[in-house]
């Protein structure tokens, strides 16, 4: 059960079926364009959607809004140093700002960045620096740890003539683009070894570091007796630095960080930080945000919280399976993924089966989930034919932290069961308007019948 009780409540909207139909039509059949006032349960993302604790709300009042040298920064810096062991701590307003600044300072034209999987904003920052992002995911080779780096492929690249162009190896923990699967300690240690032998920096995208650490304690008997915080510290110790979107495991609604061992690289980051984010002791955040984050970074490694969070995701995955949905196994921590291609074999990839499922679920129960299929990852066909499909047609049920109870998720599962039962009747979609980049945020769609 939840290791907390409710102290403050926020009513949720219950639009009628007619209102949901109208909202979807008005939004061009794109759930990103539906206002939250028309959503009953919002599982679009786990980013920035956490409920803060009483201690975090209380910490907000202690926020020091001094432009320079605020006490809030000192508290944030000390918590991050204690957690990571990295001396250089730089706050930013969210993860992508950290990526733009750090990868911009590290990479240049013709350089390579190697990763288990670059998250899409990470890839965008690598490319903006003139470099190329190469993904070498390990797949399911290691039981329970499907999020790792393929060390053999990374080693092959590093020993090839192109190896000299590799500036960093990035481990995204957990691996969001690979179903939120964790990275094992052995894989992080293997990447460390590889990087040390080839003189390359190892960086963590630590946005979900606590969830990764907990899954290591739960799935690797060698770490079963350690606390998630101890395991997190070991993960950080193996790397040369990290960045994070603190909208996830910071347990707050905004925030990010860069933390490094190298003072020279940190100095270059701070120069850029001042130009685009703000003074190094606030980095685009209010002092009160830094205090809420400092408290969140302490709470997030609580084993009782992490156990509840993981077990809720496992329970929800099993419940959706029982509802007749093809759930991607094993279930990670921050989301449950459903394979829409398997559920809707009558809808071709370019007719967007994952969108078809997500929109049907919204119509049925006012539930918002996100499509991670051809709308997000597909590409326009240069020959004018059907879109080039994404590798998979997934629907992500993201789980905001400490927000929804099992009753809410039971409601979602019941609506999803009704969709699964009527799957053969769902129509595909076509895109009628789209932007050149990140089209899923703004595209206008039409159902095919
Ligand atoms: C693994 C990972 N890295 C980076 C980011 C970007 O962070 P932000 O949304 O705070 O800019 C995200 C956001 O979802 C993420 O999941």
């Amino acid at each position: 059960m939840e290791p907390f009780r409710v102290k403050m409540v926020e009513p949720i909207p219950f639009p009628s079926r007619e209102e949901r139909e109208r909202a979807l039509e008005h939004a061009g059949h794109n759930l990103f364009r539906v206002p939250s006032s028309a959503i009953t349960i919002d599982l679009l993302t786990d980013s920035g959607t956490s409920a803060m604790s009483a201690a975090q709300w209380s910490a907000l009042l202690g926020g020091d809004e001094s432009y320079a040298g605020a006490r809030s920064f000192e508290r944030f810096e000390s918590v991050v140093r204690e957690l990571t062991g990295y001396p250089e701590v730089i706050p930013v307003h969210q993860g992508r700002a950290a990526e733009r600044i750090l990868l911009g300072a590290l990479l240049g034209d013709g350089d390579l960045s190697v990763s288990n999987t670059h998250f899409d904003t990470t890839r965008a920052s690598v490319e903006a620096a003139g470099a190329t992002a190469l993904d070498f995911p390990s797949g399911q080779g290691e039981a329970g740890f499907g999020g790792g780096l393929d060390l053999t492929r990374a080693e092959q690249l590093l020993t090839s003539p192109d190896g000299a162009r590799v500036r960093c190896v990035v481990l995204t923990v957990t691996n969001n683009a690979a179903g939120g699967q964790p990275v094992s300690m052995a894989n992080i240690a293997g990447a460390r070894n590889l990087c040390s032998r080839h003189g390359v920096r190892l960086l963590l995208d630590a946005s979900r570091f606590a969830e990764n650490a907990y899954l290591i304690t739960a799935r690797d008997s060698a770490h079963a007796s350690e606390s998630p915080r101890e395991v997190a510290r070991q993960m950080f110790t193996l790397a040369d630095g990290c960045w994070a979107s603190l909208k996830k495991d910071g347990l707050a609604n905004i925030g990010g960080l860069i933390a490094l061992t190298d003072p020279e690289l940190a100095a270059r980051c701070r120069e850029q930080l001042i130009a685009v984010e703000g003074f190094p002791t606030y980095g685009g955040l209010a002092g009160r945000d830094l205090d809420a984050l400092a408290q969140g970074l302490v709470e997030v490694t609580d084993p009782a919280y992490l156990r509840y969070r993981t077990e809720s995701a496992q329970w929800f995955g099993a419940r959706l399976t029982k509802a007749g949905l093809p759930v991607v196994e094993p279930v990670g921590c921050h989301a449950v993924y459903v394979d829409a291609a398997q559920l809707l074999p009558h809808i071709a990839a370019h007719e967007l089966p994952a969108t078809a499922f997500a929109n049907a679920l919204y119509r049925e129960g006012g539930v918002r989930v996100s499509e991670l299929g051809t709308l997000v990852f597909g590409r326009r066909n240069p020959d004018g034919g059907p879109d080039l499909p994404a590798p998979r047609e997934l629907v992500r049920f993201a789980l905001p932290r400490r927000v929804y109870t099992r009753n809410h998720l039971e409601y979602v599962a019941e609506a999803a069961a009704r969709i699964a039962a009527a799957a053969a009747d769902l129509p595909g979609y076509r895109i009628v308007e789209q932007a050149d980049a990140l089209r899923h945020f703004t595209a206008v769609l039409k159902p095919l019948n």
Side-chain angles (χ1 to χ4, degrees):
M1 64 182 179
E2 289 78 5
F4 48 81
R5 58 184 177 175
V6 176
K7 190 165 198 159
M8 195 190 290
V9 296
E10 180 185 5
I12 55 177
F14 285 95
S16 65
R17 182 174 284 270
E18 215 175 44
E19 287 166 334
R20 299 195 295 266
E21 295 284 357
R22 257 204 316 272
L24 196 58
E25 181 77 36
H26 193 70
H29 298 272
N30 180 344
L31 289 171
F32 274 106
R33 298 165 61 123
V34 174
S36 69
S37 55
I39 307 282
T40 301
I41 303 282
D42 204 347
L43 306 186
L44 187 68
T45 177
D46 67 318
S47 180
T49 50
S50 302
M52 293 206 297
S53 65
Q56 284 179 289
W57 282 106
S58 157
L60 285 173
L61 287 178
D64 172 1
E65 305 304 341
S66 303
Y67 187 93
R71 292 185 303 280
S72 297
F73 172 71
E74 289 169 12
R75 289 189 279 268
F76 176 79
E77 181 185 51
S78 134
V79 165
V80 175
R81 280 185 177 161
E82 189 274 326
L83 172 70
T84 63
Y86 302 143
E88 304 291 338
V89 178
I90 301 171
V92 291
H93 83 277
Q94 67 179 84
R96 66 201 69 185
E99 292 164 347
R100 199 46 76 106
I101 290 168
L102 177 56
L103 296 170
L106 200 58
L107 300 171
D109 279 341
D111 289 343
L112 301 176
S113 169
V114 171
S115 178
N116 53 343
T117 314
H118 295 85
F119 185 67
D120 56 10
T121 54
T122 319
R123 174 173 289 274
S125 287
V126 169
E127 291 171 0
T132 301
L134 298 174
D135 289 342
F136 296 152
S138 65
Q140 293 298 331
E142 218 181 331
F145 292 100
L149 172 73
D150 184 334
L151 295 168
T152 311
R153 284 181 73 193
E155 170 106 68
Q156 278 163 359
L157 175 71
L158 283 161
T159 48
S160 77
D162 282 338
R165 293 163 57 207
V166 178
R167 287 287 155 274
C168 57
V169 171
V170 175
L171 290 177
T172 307
V173 295
T174 58
N175 193 338
N176 187 5
Q181 294 299 313
V183 182
S184 71
M185 192 68 87
N187 195 260
I188 303 174
R192 167 75 274 158
N193 180 292
L194 199 60
C195 287
S196 298
R197 280 189 287 114
H198 293 275
V200 170
R201 266 179 232 266
L202 177 62
L203 298 171
L204 301 182
D205 174 344
S207 302
R208 297 180 182 82
F209 73 93
E211 295 178 1
N212 200 89
Y214 179 77
L215 290 171
I216 290 177
T217 65
R219 296 182 183 176
D220 180 348
S221 56
H223 295 278
S225 62
E226 294 162 3
S227 70
R229 206 163 183 88
E230 286 165 343
V231 170
R233 181 59 178 259
Q234 291 170 48
M235 288 161 45
F236 287 118
T237 302
L238 287 167
D240 298 302
C242 72
W243 74 82
S245 165
L246 295 178
K247 297 171 73 175
K248 285 83 172 172
D249 276 351
L251 290 180
N253 307 113
I254 196 71
L257 66 78
I258 299 169
L260 299 167
T261 52
D262 178 353
E264 191 273 326
L265 179 59
R268 280 191 281 139
C269 289
R270 285 193 188 98
E271 262 175 46
Q272 186 59 14
L273 182 84
I274 291 170
V276 298
E277 287 280 283
F279 193 74
T281 58
Y282 73 85
L285 291 167
R288 57 179 171 271
D289 297 327
L290 291 168
D291 273 302
L293 286 165
Q295 176 62 26
L297 286 170
V298 171
E299 290 176 13
V300 76
T301 52
D302 171 15
Y305 157 74
L306 287 165
R307 178 169 169 213
Y308 135 79
R309 178 148 175 85
T310 311
E311 291 184 359
S312 307
Q314 310 292 320
W315 172 84
F316 187 45
R319 182 66 189 81
L320 289 180
T321 303
K322 198 166 143 219
L325 295 161
V327 168
V328 178
E329 298 282 355
V331 171
C333 218
H334 77 286
V336 175
Y337 293 73
V338 165
D339 187 341
Q342 201 179 322
L343 185 70
L344 307 170
H346 62 288
I347 303 179
H350 69 276
E351 294 175 350
L352 310 176
T355 298
F357 177 86
N359 285 0
L361 186 60
Y362 173 70
R363 257 199 223 96
E364 182 63 28
V367 176
R368 174 156 67 175
V369 292
S370 58
E371 105 97 69
L372 292 177
T374 292
L375 184 59
V376 175
F377 297 117
R379 292 277 167 273
R380 262 197 252 205
N381 190 330
D383 303 331
D387 275 3
L388 306 173
R392 300 190 74 176
E393 298 299 331
L394 298 182
V395 175
R396 186 182 73 174
F397 294 66
L399 299 169
R401 292 167 181 77
R402 307 191 292 205
V403 171
Y404 293 118
T405 65
R406 254 187 208 197
N407 263 343
H408 292 117
L409 298 181
E410 176 63 31
Y411 168 88
V412 174
E414 284 170 16
R418 294 193 293 277
I419 300 303
D425 302 328
L426 296 190
Y429 280 80
R430 69 188 168 87
I431 303 173
V432 291
E433 272 177 51
Q434 60 180 304
D436 287 335
L438 299 173
R439 64 183 183 177
H440 54 287
F441 289 126
T442 52
V444 175
L445 313 170
K446 274 237 178 298
L448 284 166
N449 57 22

